[in-house]
Amino acid sequence: TEQALEAIETTLELRRGSIVEMKQRPGTPVYNLRAYLPVAESVGFDAALRLESGGQAFPQCMFDHWRLVDGDPLVQGYV
C-alpha cells in the first residue's frame, strides 16, 4: 500500500539508506524494492521496518558493494 511504501522510505532515510529500484508485481498490490543500506545501519532494521509499516514490509538483506559513507567511526555517536 501507499502507507507501507511511505514507511519504507522513511525508515530507510532515517538510516542513511536509499531506494534504487521499485517494481510492482503485475495484478497485485505487492511491490518489490531494491535499496542500499549501510551495514552499520542494518542492526535492528528488520524490526524497525516491520514496526513502521504495520507488519506489511519484510526485508531480505544481502551484501552488494563497498562505498564510503559520511561519519567518523572513531567518534561515538557520529556515525
Side-chain angles (χ1 to χ4, degrees):
T1 66
E2 292 296 321
Q3 289 176 326
L5 288 174
E6 289 178 23
I8 293 167
E9 290 174 348
T10 300
T11 304
L12 282 168
E13 287 174 4
L14 289 173
R15 293 172 175 260
R16 298 185 296 165
S18 61
I19 296 173
V20 294
E21 182 180 24
M22 183 184 310
K23 293 181 182 177
Q24 185 174 9
R25 288 190 183 177
T28 72
V30 176
Y31 284 85
N32 285 338
L33 281 76
R34 184 173 175 202
Y36 293 142
L37 181 69
V39 172
E41 303 289 350
S42 67
V43 177
F45 177 71
D46 185 11
L49 184 62
R50 288 181 192 213
L51 179 68
E52 291 300 317
S53 69
Q56 294 184 45
F58 301 89
Q60 179 180 359
C61 299
M62 64 182 222
F63 181 80
D64 186 77
H65 66 277
W66 292 98
R67 187 175 85 195
L68 291 177
V69 295
D70 294 333
D72 185 344
L74 301 178
V75 175
Q76 186 174 5
Y78 186 77
V79 176

